[in-house]
Amino acid sequence: MNLFDVYPINDVTIVKAKGSYVWDDKGEQYLDLYGGHAVISIGHTHPHWVKRIEEQLEKIAFYSNSIKIPLQQELATKLGKVSGKEDYQLFLCNSGAEANENALKMASFHNGRKKIIAFSKSFHGRTSLAVAATDNKNYIAPVNETDNVIFLPLNDEQALEECFKKNGKQISSVIIEGIQGVGGINVADVSFLKKIRTLCDEYGAVYIADSVQCFPLPLYKFFSHDFAGVNADIYTMAKGMGNGFPVAGIIIAPHIKPKHFQLGTTFGGNHLACAAALAVLEVLEEEKLMGNATLVGKYLRDELEAIPELKNVRGRGLMIGFDVPEDLKDLKKNLLWNQKIFTGEAKPNVIRLLPSLALKKRDAEQFIDSIKEEIALLQETAS
């Protein structure tokens, strides 16, 4: 049997990882500034994370949600304290797509409506509703097509107001990434997020804050939406929540009431997943990684902005994107093969950085030196 060929694959086999580094089967070391699609939040194979999972594995790895799992309440309590959302309610699942799927469904249960507002260049996942709210026709199968999703330009307050005036009481929810990941590190304006909150309150819609790629946000604010000074009704999280162990969740405002059987999951909130997620939150606090990411992220953005060939450096914390001109289109590839540095991309010309929040300044300095070297080589070759 062959693997179903759905991914373009780099010819690298990673066999070991630690901190911000990975090693291939030939012993070659790589600096990881992509974190496996924004997943590695506290560093590869962090010893506390490994120990937490190993200790839990010795006790019990899994049982279904038909019994009490005290680790779930421990995680909910810790997450509420760290995020400042202690009066919210936690539902645990397995992936970002599943989190967004359940958030959209919960909103519809709550107000009995069908229409969803999403935004240009959005990415919310690959399950039925989540992919329907994703702005990429290549991902949407005919069975996923629906006229219940309305796409609007990001940060266009007038378009948002007009859509609510026209559709008003039909709108179930607005789903928005505080920082678009796959779309190219596009930051939602503070005033735009405030406008969403105001209009959702006015028309009885649910504000869904997709924080899957930027959870936890590498800054002093826990969610990227917190910069607007407003609370969403539902926050979705995954990716960095388990530092590589599959775990996701949604936290739901207290005015949205649960009913039995509306949501459900087999593997969500299992013992190992909770242990992994708790380890992440514990390390974030104990090692002050959000503060580290703020400082190192500022250094990176300042240095990137000083490189004249790179345009529109943007992001928050260590979630950074910048535009690459056509004559430097091989920059990402050359960083990987010549400098042994993993980065991400967004088509057609954006390089994305999504490293661990534990990234050290010396590693950031290495990246800046490497990118300058590769730009000079590309320019020399072109001339």
Side-chain angles (χ1 to χ4, degrees):
M1 183 183 291
N2 291 321
L3 295 173
F4 199 49
D5 186 11
V6 293
Y7 301 113
I9 301 291
N10 291 310
D11 190 17
V12 182
T13 303
I14 301 300
V15 296
K16 188 176 78 167
K18 187 173 181 61
S20 294
Y21 288 90
V22 296
W23 288 262
D24 68 16
D25 54 355
K26 301 176 180 62
E28 194 77 59
Q29 177 180 288
Y30 298 76
L31 175 61
D32 182 12
L33 296 184
Y34 193 48
H37 294 306
V39 166
I40 303 302
S41 53
I42 60 172
H44 291 281
T45 60
H46 189 288
H48 178 68
W49 178 82
V50 171
K51 184 181 178 183
R52 258 289 202 170
I53 294 172
E54 285 179 341
E55 288 177 348
Q56 186 58 49
L57 190 58
E58 292 288 344
K59 299 173 185 175
I60 178 172
F62 173 82
Y63 203 79
S64 80
N65 285 292
S66 61
I67 51 95
K68 283 185 176 180
I69 302 176
L71 279 169
Q72 292 182 352
Q73 185 57 57
E74 184 181 349
L75 176 56
T77 301
K78 184 74 170 177
L79 183 59
K81 178 185 174 185
V82 173
S83 69
K85 306 286 192 281
E86 292 184 271
D87 58 340
Y88 279 57
Q89 309 154 91
L90 174 65
F91 174 77
L92 290 161
C93 49
N94 307 283
S95 69
E98 190 180 343
N100 284 331
E101 191 84 15
N102 280 302
L104 292 164
K105 188 196 303 185
M106 198 67 239
S108 186
F109 276 132
H110 175 67
N111 55 29
R113 302 175 188 173
K114 297 180 180 180
K115 296 287 185 186
I116 297 163
I117 293 177
F119 297 96
S120 56
K121 295 192 175 181
S122 62
F123 181 89
H124 298 295
R126 296 178 185 270
T127 53
S128 182
L129 259 182
V131 79
T134 290
D135 186 24
N136 190 321
K137 299 301 181 187
N138 294 324
Y139 301 159
I140 302 172
V143 71
N144 303 128
E145 292 174 355
T146 174
D147 59 3
N148 285 326
V149 179
I150 303 165
F151 288 100
L152 299 177
L154 183 68
N155 292 327
D156 188 332
E157 294 183 29
Q158 183 179 346
L160 184 66
E161 285 187 345
E162 289 174 356
C163 184
F164 265 99
K165 284 177 183 176
K166 180 180 178 182
N167 298 284
K169 298 299 183 181
Q170 294 180 285
I171 296 172
S172 172
S173 59
V174 179
I175 185 167
I176 182 170
E177 300 157 271
I179 307 172
Q180 290 183 335
V182 175
I185 314 297
N186 304 310
V187 181
D189 292 342
V190 165
S191 63
F192 192 64
L193 297 177
K194 287 182 176 178
K195 179 65 70 174
I196 290 172
R197 179 70 277 168
T198 299
L199 291 169
C200 283
D201 287 341
E202 182 179 348
Y203 288 91
V206 173
Y207 175 174
I208 300 173
D210 180 343
S211 300
V212 167
Q213 284 216 12
C214 53
F215 173 88
L217 182 71
L219 276 161
Y220 291 110
K221 303 286 188 184
F222 199 77
F223 293 108
S224 58
H225 299 74
D226 289 344
F227 281 90
V230 295
N231 285 319
D233 298 305
I234 301 176
Y235 296 82
T236 64
M237 12 178 203
K239 298 288 188 184
M241 188 175 179
N243 198 51
F245 197 99
V247 56
I250 61 176
I251 59 172
I252 306 161
H255 68 272
I256 299 176
K257 303 302 182 185
K259 292 182 181 178
H260 284 185
F261 311 117
Q262 282 184 332
L263 304 181
T265 173
T266 297
F267 296 106
N270 67 73
H271 297 75
L272 286 180
C274 288
L278 279 163
V280 167
L281 294 175
E282 288 158 359
V283 170
L284 279 176
E285 275 195 315
E286 290 166 15
E287 299 186 7
K288 298 179 171 58
L289 292 188
M290 293 168 79
N292 174 73
T294 301
L295 296 174
V296 178
K298 183 180 186 307
Y299 165 80
L300 270 175
R301 290 195 310 280
D302 288 347
E303 292 295 316
L304 289 167
E305 286 172 354
I307 299 173
E309 292 83 1
L310 306 179
K311 306 299 180 185
N312 192 20
V313 178
R314 56 199 181 270
R316 285 197 170 115
L318 283 167
M319 193 171 183
I320 298 170
F322 52 89
D323 296 340
V324 176
E326 180 62 24
D327 60 329
L328 298 179
K329 66 181 187 308
D330 290 333
L331 182 57
K332 177 182 177 294
K333 179 181 71 175
N334 290 1
L335 283 169
L336 176 59
W337 299 118
N338 299 342
Q339 302 292 335
K340 308 302 180 188
I341 298 175
F342 277 101
T343 60
E345 66 180 347
K347 300 296 184 184
N349 63 339
V350 178
I351 287 181
R352 292 194 288 153
L353 306 181
L354 297 161
S356 153
L357 277 64
L359 183 73
K360 293 180 170 57
K361 187 169 182 245
R362 67 171 181 265
D363 297 326
E365 290 168 346
Q366 176 192 336
F367 171 68
I368 295 298
D369 290 342
S370 296
I371 204 168
K372 288 177 179 177
E373 182 180 332
E374 287 306 320
I375 287 173
L377 287 171
L378 284 166
Q379 290 174 331
E380 183 181 327
T381 303
S383 61

